[in-house]
Amino acid sequence: MAVPKKRTSRSKKKIRKTLWKRRGFWTALKAYSLAQSISTGNSKSFFV
């Protein structure tokens, strides 16, 4: 029979949310950096 799960604590929820946000932030930062290097023509790893 299905039993309801225990409630996740606020601290655990905050930690998971922060990690998720941080991952998105670093991905966005990398994308911005790559776009910047392509626009200036300094990119060594990306060929246009």
Side-chain angles (χ1 to χ4, degrees), residues 18-47:
T18 308
L19 284 170
W20 189 80
K21 281 183 178 177
R22 198 182 300 163
R23 198 173 358 174
F25 171 76
W26 286 115
T27 307
L29 199 67
K30 278 184 186 176
Y32 180 73
S33 175
L34 179 63
Q36 225 175 6
S37 64
I38 289 168
S39 67
T40 56
N42 294 336
S43 179
K44 292 180 177 76
S45 62
F46 194 87
F47 300 103

